[in-house]
Amino acid sequence: MASFKSTKIPIYPKLGEKVTPDTLYWKNYKAPVQIKEFGAVTSIDFSSLAPHNYAVTASTRIHIYGPFSTEPVKTFTRFKDTAYSGKFRSDGQLLVAGCEDSMVRLFDVSGKVALRVFKGHTKGVHVTDFTSDCYHILTGSDDYTCRLWDIPNSTELTSYKEHTDYIRCGITSKLNRDIFITGSYDHTLRMFDARVEKSVMTMDHSQPVESVLLYPSEGLLVSAGGRYVKVWDLLKGGQPLVSLKNHHKTVTCLSLSSNGQRLLSASLDRHVKIYNTTNYKVVHNFDYAASILSLALAPDDESIVVGMTNGVLSIKHRKSPEEKREMAGKQRMQPVYRIFVKGRNYVPKKDDFLVSKPVKSHLAKYDKQLKKFNISKALDTALEPEITVAVMKELDRRGTLKNALAGRDEQNLSQLLNFLIGNVVDPRFTPVLVTATEMILDIYQAVVGQSSVVDRQLVRLQELVEREVDYQQDLLEVLGMLDTLFAASLPRKEVPCPGSKTVL
Amino acid sequence: MVEHAEIRMVHRGGSKINFREPVITNDSRFLLCAAGESVNVYSTSTEEYVHDLQGHTDLVTGVVLNPSNHLQVYSCSADGTVRLWDFTDAILIKTFIIGYPIYSIYVSEKHGGVVFLVVPMADYKSSELFQLVAVHLPHSGDQEVEARELSAVLCDVSPHAGAASFGREGEYIASVKGLQLEVFFFKKQKSYRFSLKSGMKKGAKNAFTCVSCHPKEDCIATGHEDGKIRMWRNFNQKKEYTYSTLHWHHGAVNTLCFTPEGTNLLSGGIESVLVHWHYTQENQKDFLPRLGAAITHIAVSPDGSLFSTSHSDNKITIIQSCVKVSAVIQGLVKGDGVWTNLIIDPRSKALVLNGKPGHLQFYSLHRDKQLYNLEIVQQEYIHEEGLDQFEVVNAAFDARGNWLATVEERRKKGAELEITLKLWAYDELTQSFVLNTTVTAPHEDQITAMFFSPSPETTMLVTTSLDGHFKAWLLADHSDANEGFWACDFVGGYHLLKPGCCSFSADGSLLSVGFQEVVTVWSPASWELLTTLSQPPGAIRDLCFGRLSCSKYLLGASTKNQLCCWNLLTCSLEWSTPMDVSLLQADPLSENMAAFCSQSGSSDLFVFKPSEPRPLYSQKALCTGKVQHAVFAPRDQMLESCEERTQWLNRSQLYFFTQHMDLLTFSTKTEEDRLLASSKQLMVDDSVAVTPFYLLLGKHRGQQLEKQEALTNPMAERTQLPQGSIAIKELLHTPAHVLPSASFLCAMFVRSLLISSSSAREEKEHEEGEREKEEEDSEGEADPRLGESAAWGPPEEFGAPALTKAQERELRKVKTFDHSWLSSLLDC
């Protein structure tokens, strides 16, 4: 004797983005923490020293936040004007920042007053960085110059005046203490060697350069400017490798994920895009509320910090493994009573006699009703659209869909109509629901006009269907146009006539 | 063409066992049912087939127990005879020749020596009207007796089996037809008729379907088309009869049956639920649901302990004390039709075709037994008439039997077609197929053909559909997941023509798809259209590549009476003949091809090689109607026939389905001889219920008995024979805790069944029975005996007074039997 076979709920293919390992990785962040700063957040820098505090430069202040604090652990306020580019030294002890008032200040992370103030630039300094030997500072300014400063003597070592517009980004090599690269609004990127007088390499980005980034190997350089992100091969003398155009507004910031496998770019179009560095395809995408000016990733991608033009700092922390497990645990069912009484961790002893109990198969509510041939109730007990549609299909197969739909009062009918309005144009359900809709219209033809609720819903349904028909027609037209375009663009190939090959 | 006497067409595969009501014997040990031209005897406890009663030359239409001797049965047949059998020994006792085709038979204890038969009315040659006649069976010593004294009892009766029934103590007989119930009283020699209104206006269908009379009281139960059961009482007058109505069935009541004591009424119908009405409290009823298919007949054993229900899917269920299904006798399921091709499962060598609704059945051709049903549709089957159900319409196995592809479809009236393609992987662990991939709507229209690529490197499936495309499906390998899934790899078409058939070449390097009149040849490796062949007019109906030495040929059968053969090397037509080929089938093991042609209402068969102009074998007028499906089934043992005409049957056997759903095959003389020999070996003593274990042991004992008769000196043997059985008995009756472990015994037992090579050599000249004897010896004793036989050798050779063979055998037996093999077992 066969047992009752439950209704099959078809699995519909998920439309939209595919689930890749990347999606899973980048989705595994908690809801963002938002902190309001005093002005647009222009720079974020993580300390390389645990616990990886980060410096946030906004307006005339630099705030230092702990990894999980929402209040700044430290604040530097000794700026006369807008501060720029607060950067930690690689040992995490010193912090340098530029300022609109052309002065460069060096702070001790634990102190309050600037240890050194470097004067020499004539305009605002937007770029500061430490060299890899920790004794020099690189600065770039709106006066078109970039300079190197000595920390112990607080003197200017060299000054390069090769750019012809504002210098808005720059980076020092982590492997060589003498090499640094700057990007400017004159569309060029220049690599300098402190040991020579002139730039050693120039690359044309052809857009005002907003951000530069060196790969850990320092063989590749990434620059962002305008809507483009470009990758340059430094070992081949600055040959352009790829040009990416995935944003529709200026790209403002670049960052690498901790393992160097993914490149992140932030833009004024409020998106952060994540690229695979092997094929430079976008693998993931974050949306933010406002245009993004700065972006930084904590070591090990523990958190993503994004600063926006409206002064909001958004911090996303990675979910810890315990939390993930907790989420999974919540879905688990409560243990059944008999296990609960025995203790959930009860392990049978050696001499225990195990009585295997046949597993009782539980039928879903709608299946129970279907088994008893209660067709109307079965339809009423099916809740989710997928299940409802599956039950409708099953009833249709049994030839009783009409009976199940008939004999409903106003409330019941309006529920049904609501469901139809919500789902009839869903391409996954349309084939089944169209039949159901036709049946409902047939059955309840006589009562049209008796209930205002039902009438309103019927009118809505009609509009919906009409709109859908229009859409379909438009789409077909577009398809036809595309077909002709494709046909015209295909190269004409001499097709051998099928008749000539056939040998009779 | 010459008729070949040595090739014979034979019926294969379970004839209908649900055709007529089965009979359970008085001791409830056997169940007898009409099966085609014979009566099959089954054991009720083990559901095993025991033997059959053969003799009728046409369909057997009824089986009843002889009321005066409970070891005999009457059977009637459409060949116009009633035969009396001893069913325990399968002996035909008497044949009564009636002279008219008989449609059913009724007997009653009160009317000894009389059988009541339903025969066509004498004056109406067309089988429209039937009458119930009483026939006095003459007492005569002859085997064949003419019994032509018919006396009509009732005119115009229904030929169906359940449409008449004897009342209390055989005093009256009730018969139903249409809207009329007729009761004939034998004492008064008078009949009463009771009519019902058709009731069509009220939506009721009052027509009678079956009748059953209460065995103890004057009460007649009738079943009706609208599912009602009416209980008639007080019917011995015309006016004041009464009836009450019971209603549970939603479809027609197919069958009714009272239990022997009359306490219960059983009814069954399309719902496949056995309903069990209590006679005294008519509102109370019990149900035995989910019996699998519509119930067509119910029979109760004379003591009322066993019920049997026949089902529309050619199955008989035996039910114990109305609650428990104790046995299921399943024949080859013949549903409404076979939509799938006949295919052979490469693993089990079973024939695979549609079984129960939504199932595929695996039917062992060699054992003539259903192996199992594979559920394909996986949906609750609603037993209701007029529903459009999902049906399996196509199935295919890959070359090694690892994958099974099935297509199921459901066509609603006026709505779109629902098609599902399912791919099943063979699971070694559970020894069955497990669903791997379900593709809903693989094509937009009906799938016409589906084949796996035979090449061993790739598992590829090709489906062709009326939507104008053919699709190739490939197993997408997933290294991380243990199992891959199937995905569409290529969609091909040719000028929007509808493909009707496809075929892979033997090595899988070429795929030919027939697009109406054009045959396209593709390379599955690159999906390149290699060439097109066409031979108008007429769309291509069937395509087939040649095998082995003929693999360069491609054969196509077109609708306009043409069979074409193309040479693929030259891309030219090799030959063509005007033949209306309805089915083309290639033998996978040889170059042979079978073509079935339909001509003027009957089918012809031609077996040929594509390279040779002359057919190897041809048979005209094979059967009436078109041959629907055919398949070459590989034999498990090759035949060594050298005859040219039968050579094509050496490697494989051709099975085919006729229009009437009969499974036929060709059999040769050598094969029949072999079958006959093997069936003799399997003669079974019926004192024990037949089980596979019994077949093993019973074979031994049967042959011992045979040998005993053959022996010259039976006295000495008789004293020894019981010993053998005692040994077995001892083994079986010894308390289990005393016996050594089963694994130990088993190894011993199995080894004892094997013939040691040396002793086999030695005894080549001996009778077979001799060998059987030695198998019972434990192998521990084999060694000394060998030594002895060697020691015996010389005297014989020296011409000393030679022992006769019988004496020698006896001597040896004495040697072997004084230490019974069991005692040696028990010692250790």
Side-chain angles (χ1 to χ4, degrees):
Chain A
M1 283 195 288
S3 57
F4 181 82
K5 288 160 205 158
S6 55
T7 312
K8 258 191 301 181
I9 311 292
I11 305 161
Y12 293 102
K14 281 234 177 77
L15 302 172
E17 58 187 275
K18 262 205 299 200
V19 179
T20 56
D22 275 297
T23 340
L24 293 177
Y25 185 82
W26 295 109
K27 278 230 163 138
N28 193 21
Y29 285 96
K30 289 189 244 179
V33 179
Q34 307 246 358
I35 300 168
K36 181 78 181 147
E37 292 289 333
F38 292 99
V41 180
T42 52
S43 163
I44 301 161
D45 188 41
F46 271 92
S47 159
S48 55
L49 205 70
H52 305 303
N53 293 341
Y54 53 96
V56 175
T57 316
S59 184
T60 56
R61 291 153 193 258
I62 295 178
H63 290 301
I64 295 180
Y65 291 92
F68 292 104
S69 67
T70 53
E71 290 295 314
V73 291
K74 187 114 192 116
T75 310
F76 299 98
T77 53
R78 301 294 173 94
F79 295 100
K80 307 271 183 324
D81 209 333
T82 315
Y84 295 111
S85 180
K87 278 250 162 82
F88 282 107
R89 201 162 78 169
S90 56
D91 60 358
Q93 301 289 333
L94 295 178
L95 181 88
V96 69
C99 183
E100 191 59 49
D101 64 1
S102 81
M103 291 201 277
V104 178
R105 291 177 176 83
L106 181 74
F107 297 94
D108 183 359
V109 171
S110 53
K112 239 178 160 39
V113 188
L115 292 178
R116 299 273 189 280
V117 178
F118 304 101
K119 292 176 190 164
H121 282 295
T122 53
K123 280 189 178 165
V125 179
H126 281 256
V127 182
T128 58
D129 204 354
F130 291 95
T131 57
S132 59
D133 63 355
C134 299
Y135 302 126
H136 305 305
I137 289 170
L138 159 75
T139 59
S141 160
D142 285 357
D143 62 4
Y144 310 165
T145 60
C146 57
R147 298 169 200 227
L148 275 179
W149 309 80
D150 185 41
I151 298 172
N153 302 325
S154 95
T155 50
E156 184 185 317
L157 295 176
T158 36
S159 169
Y160 298 96
K161 198 177 185 293
E162 289 191 27
H163 283 294
T164 54
D165 207 332
Y166 301 155
I167 296 171
R168 285 292 164 87
C169 56
I171 193 163
T172 55
S173 160
K174 295 279 174 298
L175 304 178
N176 189 315
R177 66 191 176 110
D178 293 318
I179 289 185
F180 61 93
I181 296 153
T182 55
S184 155
Y185 276 13
D186 65 359
H187 301 186
T188 57
L189 292 156
R190 282 174 199 274
M191 185 158 94
F192 295 97
D193 190 336
R195 292 163 291 194
V196 291
E197 294 290 302
K198 282 167 76 181
S199 64
V200 292
M201 205 183 284
T202 307
M203 288 150 276
D204 184 17
H205 187 86
S206 53
Q207 305 278 335
V209 184
E210 294 283 354
S211 178
V212 287
L213 186 74
L214 269 172
Y215 269 68
S217 65
E218 303 196 344
L220 294 178
L221 174 77
V222 189
S223 64
R227 294 159 61 191
Y228 295 88
V229 174
K230 292 188 177 179
V231 184
W232 313 88
D233 193 343
L234 294 180
L235 302 179
K236 278 191 179 168
Q239 201 178 358
L241 208 62
V242 221
S243 174
L244 306 169
K245 191 181 151 193
N246 292 94
H247 289 281
H248 53 266
K249 277 188 186 166
T250 306
V251 183
T252 51
C253 198
L254 293 169
S255 178
L256 270 178
S257 75
S258 57
N259 57 3
Q261 298 289 307
R262 299 287 179 269
L263 174 72
L264 287 85
S265 69
S267 153
L268 292 178
D269 65 2
R270 299 180 292 138
H271 291 294
V272 172
K273 307 236 173 205
I274 300 167
Y275 308 85
N276 185 338
T277 51
T278 47
N279 54 11
Y280 294 101
K281 290 260 164 66
V282 177
V283 292
H284 198 69
N285 184 26
F286 291 119
D287 284 1
Y288 283 93
S291 300
I292 301 163
L293 289 180
S294 53
L295 161 82
L297 263 89
D300 292 332
D301 301 342
E302 280 305 315
S303 51
I304 301 171
V305 185
V306 162
M308 288 170 270
T309 47
N310 59 0
V312 173
L313 185 72
S314 155
I315 306 134
K316 280 189 195 174
H317 291 287
R318 177 166 286 282
K319 282 177 193 159
S320 58
E322 293 94 65
E323 277 169 296
K324 243 198 288 180
R325 221 174 297 137
E326 212 171 82
M327 289 289 285
K330 266 178 202 163
Q331 288 161 355
R332 212 183 297 149
M333 293 239 299
Q334 292 285 312
V336 292
Y337 177 73
R338 71 196 158 96
I339 295 171
F340 206 68
V341 166
K342 262 284 181 192
R344 65 164 76 189
N345 298 324
Y346 186 79
V347 181
K349 293 197 195 78
K350 202 176 129 199
D351 296 333
D352 280 357
F353 185 72
L354 274 170
V355 180
S356 60
K357 205 177 165 190
V359 182
K360 217 173 163 187
S361 65
H362 288 278
L363 288 178
K365 264 185 191 163
Y366 52 89
D367 274 336
K368 276 182 193 158
Q369 302 288 0
L370 278 177
K371 193 178 175 184
K372 291 178 191 158
F373 292 87
N374 291 338
I375 46 174
S376 291
K377 276 187 191 162
L379 190 55
D380 291 341
T381 42
L383 293 174
E384 288 167 52
E386 284 91 353
I387 295 173
T388 316
V389 170
V391 170
M392 277 188 179
K393 212 170 170 184
E394 171 71 16
L395 290 174
D396 189 29
R397 189 177 71 86
R398 293 178 173 211
T400 50
L401 182 58
K402 208 161 189 167
N403 306 12
L405 293 171
R408 287 166 186 272
D409 58 6
E410 182 187 342
Q411 199 191 342
N412 255 331
L413 181 60
S414 73
Q415 264 179 13
L416 251 173
L417 284 173
N418 245 339
F419 172 75
L420 288 181
I421 288 167
N423 293 296
V424 77
V425 293
D426 192 326
R428 298 175 295 170
F429 309 137
T430 306
V432 181
L433 291 185
V434 163
T435 17
T437 314
E438 279 170 355
M439 280 181 184
I440 286 181
L441 292 179
D442 284 351
I443 296 165
Y444 296 102
Q445 217 170 20
V447 297
V448 169
Q450 288 183 10
S451 153
S452 58
V453 183
V454 171
D455 286 353
R456 226 177 302 131
Q457 281 175 320
L458 285 176
V459 170
R460 264 183 69 196
L461 188 63
Q462 189 189 0
E463 284 168 3
L464 188 73
V465 171
E466 275 169 7
R467 214 181 318 138
E468 185 66 19
V469 169
D470 286 345
Y471 283 149
Q472 297 289 341
Q473 208 154 6
D474 288 351
L475 283 175
L476 278 177
E477 281 169 17
V478 171
L479 211 63
M481 286 184 235
L482 285 178
D483 271 350
T484 39
L485 284 178
F486 280 129
S489 67
L490 270 182
R492 258 178 204 290
K493 214 167 71 178
E494 201 56 50
V495 181
C497 176
S500 65
K501 257 200 173 179
T502 314
V503 187
L504 296 179
Chain B
M1 298 287 159
V2 196
E3 280 288 321
H4 309 301
E6 60 267 30
I7 297 187
R8 218 169 67 86
M9 221 160 44
V10 287
H11 271 267
R12 262 307 145 81
S15 32
K16 262 181 145 177
I17 57 171
N18 63 348
F19 179 59
R20 283 292 140 99
E21 194 176 305
V23 167
I24 302 175
T25 57
N26 261 8
D27 51 3
S28 301
R29 275 191 17 228
F30 298 112
L31 178 132
L32 285 75
C33 66
E37 294 174 4
S38 64
V39 176
N40 283 2
V41 182
Y42 293 95
S43 160
T44 53
S45 46
T46 62
E47 67 201 75
E48 209 71 28
Y49 164 83
V50 181
H51 53 237
D52 56 357
L53 315 178
Q54 275 182 338
H56 282 292
T57 53
D58 206 340
L59 213 59
V60 176
T61 52
V63 184
V64 283
L65 282 176
N66 184 357
S68 47
N69 184 346
H70 64 87
L71 293 176
Q72 295 176 347
V73 285
Y74 286 115
S75 69
C76 66
S77 154
D79 64 359
T81 59
V82 173
R83 288 171 198 245
L84 183 64
W85 309 84
D86 178 351
F87 58 81
T88 39
D89 301 322
I91 298 166
L92 176 63
I93 298 171
K94 256 181 199 177
T95 306
F96 304 101
I97 298 165
I98 308 296
Y100 300 100
I102 305 164
Y103 290 88
S104 39
I105 184 168
Y106 305 96
V107 290
S108 158
E109 252 174 75
K110 207 194 167 202
H111 306 273
V114 181
V115 292
F116 294 82
L117 306 170
V118 172
V119 295
M121 295 269 249
D123 41 349
Y124 293 94
K125 281 290 165 215
S126 57
S127 56
E128 292 293 307
L129 283 172
F130 299 90
Q131 59 181 347
L132 183 75
V133 295
V135 181
H136 284 269
L137 300 176
H139 292 279
S140 150
D142 298 335
Q143 266 276 327
E144 280 194 22
V145 190
E146 294 230 350
R148 304 221 181 229
E149 282 176 45
L150 313 181
S151 53
V153 179
L154 291 171
C155 297
D156 192 14
V157 297
S158 156
H160 299 294
S165 169
F166 272 101
R168 174 171 62 94
E169 289 161 8
E171 280 185 2
Y172 53 89
I173 187 164
S175 153
V176 291
K177 193 194 178 190
L179 290 164
Q180 206 165 55
L181 165 70
E182 192 169 4
V183 186
F184 181 83
F185 288 89
F186 290 103
K187 233 179 229 167
K188 294 191 237 172
Q189 287 289 315
K190 198 173 169 188
S191 75
Y192 295 101
R193 287 162 186 260
F194 308 99
S195 298
L196 287 172
K197 290 202 181 74
S198 76
M200 276 306 195
K201 283 174 207 154
K202 291 176 193 166
K205 287 181 272 181
N206 277 338
F208 289 93
T209 53
C210 52
V211 65
S212 179
C213 297
H214 195 279
K216 301 281 150 102
E217 287 174 39
D218 281 335
C219 175
I220 300 173
T222 57
H224 298 263
E225 267 186 12
D226 56 356
K228 286 187 181 123
I229 298 168
R230 288 190 169 85
M231 309 287 278
W232 302 75
R233 291 189 179 82
N234 217 9
F235 43 77
N236 50 4
Q237 66 251 16
K238 190 85 189 157
K239 291 275 166 62
E240 288 174 14
Y241 65 89
T242 58
Y243 64 77
S244 58
T245 309
L246 310 172
H247 197 175
W248 180 85
H249 294 276
H250 70 72
V253 182
N254 278 346
T255 176
L256 280 171
C257 188
F258 273 105
T259 52
E261 293 304 311
T263 50
N264 291 311
L265 173 67
L266 307 170
S267 69
I270 193 174
E271 304 86 358
S272 75
V273 178
L274 181 67
V275 189
H276 190 217
W277 308 82
H278 297 264
Y279 179 67
T280 44
Q281 302 132 306
E282 287 182 347
N283 290 326
Q284 268 195 30
K285 49 192 178 285
D286 297 326
F287 302 103
L288 186 64
R290 298 190 175 277
L291 291 174
I295 296 172
T296 54
H297 303 285
I298 300 173
V300 185
S301 70
D303 60 356
S305 62
L306 289 183
F307 303 158
S308 82
T309 53
S310 306
H311 298 269
S312 56
D313 61 351
N314 208 11
K315 174 176 81 174
I316 296 177
T317 317
I318 296 165
I319 297 159
Q320 248 170 7
S321 54
C322 69
V323 282
K324 206 182 101 206
V325 174
S326 67
V328 176
I329 300 162
Q330 176 79 65
L332 179 70
V333 181
K334 291 172 192 170
D336 313 327
V338 175
W339 296 279
T340 61
N341 290 327
L342 294 185
I343 29 178
I344 300 291
D345 176 15
R347 273 177 194 270
S348 60
K349 303 279 180 281
L351 182 72
V352 180
L353 67 160
N354 284 108
K356 291 197 280 185
H359 288 65
L360 277 184
Q361 62 177 330
F362 287 64
Y363 196 85
S364 164
L365 290 166
H366 300 297
R367 290 198 290 141
D368 190 15
K369 196 176 175 192
Q370 194 186 47
L371 298 178
Y372 64 96
N373 263 308
L374 180 68
E375 198 193 340
I376 302 294
V377 173
Q378 297 185 323
Q379 263 179 354
E380 178 78 357
Y381 186 78
I382 306 297
H383 296 280
E384 199 178 310
E385 258 173 306
L387 281 186
D388 308 301
Q389 309 274 12
F390 267 107
E391 261 314 332
V392 184
V393 292
N394 241 321
F397 282 98
D398 80 333
R400 277 165 295 175
N402 291 334
W403 291 97
L404 165 68
T406 59
V407 176
E408 63 206 52
E409 67 171 41
R410 171 173 170 253
R411 188 181 280 285
K412 283 182 280 184
K413 283 163 214 118
E416 64 184 294
L417 193 70
E418 288 176 54
I419 316 178
T420 316
L421 171 69
K422 283 182 179 166
L423 286 134
W424 308 75
Y426 189 78
D427 186 9
E428 294 279 355
L429 211 68
T430 55
Q431 296 282 304
S432 72
F433 286 92
V434 181
L435 185 61
N436 175 276
T437 309
T438 309
V439 186
T440 42
H443 281 278
E444 278 149 37
D445 209 338
Q446 247 171 329
I447 290 179
T448 50
M450 176 167 73
F451 286 103
F452 273 99
S453 161
S455 84
E457 292 97 52
T458 54
T459 37
M460 181 198 288
L461 177 75
V462 168
T463 54
T464 63
S465 158
L466 289 183
D467 64 0
H469 297 294
F470 72 90
K471 289 188 183 178
W473 308 82
L474 269 184
L475 185 64
D477 271 319
H478 256 248
S479 47
D480 48 341
N482 47 2
E483 256 183 56
F485 57 89
W486 289 76
C488 186
D489 179 53
F490 177 73
V491 182
Y494 185 78
H495 292 277
L496 297 174
L497 294 174
K498 289 176 181 173
C501 48
C502 70
S503 170
F504 271 104
S505 66
D507 57 350
S509 62
L510 288 178
L511 168 72
S512 68
V513 184
F515 285 94
Q516 288 173 359
E517 289 165 21
V518 186
V519 178
T520 56
V521 182
W522 306 73
S523 149
S526 59
W527 289 118
E528 206 179 334
L529 179 59
L530 297 176
T531 181
T532 56
L533 310 159
S534 100
Q535 181 72 10
I540 299 293
R541 192 189 273 162
D542 225 332
L543 275 173
C544 222
F545 273 96
R547 309 264 154 173
L548 306 173
S549 65
C550 300
S551 56
K552 62 180 176 185
Y553 296 109
L554 171 68
L555 282 116
S558 73
T559 49
K560 289 268 171 69
N561 295 354
Q562 253 187 345
L563 179 66
C564 310
C565 177
W566 288 281
N567 188 334
L568 288 171
L569 298 179
T570 59
C571 288
S572 62
L573 190 71
E574 192 87 0
W575 52 262
S576 76
T577 57
M579 272 166 95
D580 186 18
V581 176
S582 60
L583 196 66
L584 200 61
Q585 196 75 32
D587 184 354
L589 297 178
S590 66
E591 296 100 337
N592 301 331
M593 298 229 175
F596 289 92
C597 310
S598 54
Q599 220 166 42
S600 59
S602 65
S603 288
D604 305 335
L605 167 72
F606 296 95
V607 180
F608 59 95
K609 280 184 190 177
S611 54
E612 285 173 31
R614 207 170 55 84
L616 294 170
Y617 174 79
S618 68
Q619 168 101 41
K620 291 252 175 185
L622 201 62
C623 59
T624 55
K626 242 176 161 178
V627 170
Q628 306 281 326
H629 308 282
V631 72
F632 275 100
R635 288 181 192 276
D636 38 353
Q637 276 178 303
M638 234 179 77
L639 288 186
E640 287 110 23
S641 162
C642 313
E643 193 116 16
E644 196 198 353
R645 281 164 192 150
T646 59
Q647 245 173 6
W648 64 280
L649 284 168
N650 276 0
R651 286 165 175 278
S652 40
Q653 210 168 0
L654 180 65
Y655 287 88
F656 60 96
F657 250 115
T658 63
Q659 218 167 22
H660 308 291
M661 294 289 138
D662 293 317
L663 185 63
L664 298 173
T665 187
F666 290 95
S667 142
T668 59
K669 215 167 191 180
T670 44
E671 191 192 355
E672 268 164 31
D673 292 347
R674 188 193 284 179
L675 270 177
L676 208 65
S678 65
S679 68
K680 262 187 189 157
Q681 276 180 2
L682 285 172
M683 283 294 277
V684 162
D685 182 9
D686 50 33
S687 60
V688 187
V690 179
T691 59
F693 181 62
Y694 174 75
L695 285 178
L696 264 177
L697 283 181
K699 193 169 143 192
H700 278 276
R701 290 186 47 190
Q703 275 160 1
Q704 278 169 12
L705 280 171
E706 265 172 45
K707 191 179 47 168
Q708 181 193 359
E709 282 153 21
L711 278 174
T712 47
N713 187 354
M715 284 307 286
E717 196 55 37
R718 213 163 272 161
T719 49
Q720 286 166 10
L721 181 75
Q723 253 195 337
S725 57
I726 281 169
I728 294 161
K729 234 181 229 166
E730 218 176 306
L731 171 66
L732 295 177
H733 289 207
T734 319
H737 62 273
V738 191
L739 283 172
S741 76
S743 56
F744 181 77
L745 273 178
C746 179
M748 210 67 125
F749 179 65
V750 169
R751 240 179 296 152
S752 75
L753 293 180
L754 298 173
I755 306 156
S756 73
S757 57
S758 53
S759 64
R761 216 184 310 121
E762 168 199 6
E763 289 185 89
K764 252 177 198 162
E765 73 272 19
H766 292 331
E767 285 173 55
E768 206 182 24
E770 181 72 22
R771 207 176 298 152
E772 297 299 330
K773 208 64 183 175
E774 276 172 332
E775 284 167 24
E776 292 212 358
D777 304 338
S778 79
E779 87 295 292
E781 285 159 345
D783 289 347
R785 196 158 31 76
L786 272 179
E788 277 158 22
S789 66
W792 290 355
E796 272 181 37
E797 281 165 31
F798 293 140
L803 295 161
T804 64
K805 261 186 187 166
Q807 279 171 323
E808 183 191 325
R809 209 177 299 132
E810 266 178 54
L811 264 173
R812 197 175 296 168
K813 245 161 245 156
V814 171
K815 275 273 172 210
T816 55
F817 266 83
D818 48 10
H819 338 272
S820 141
W821 64 279
L822 184 76
S823 62
S824 73
L825 261 182
L826 287 173
D827 288 343
C828 60

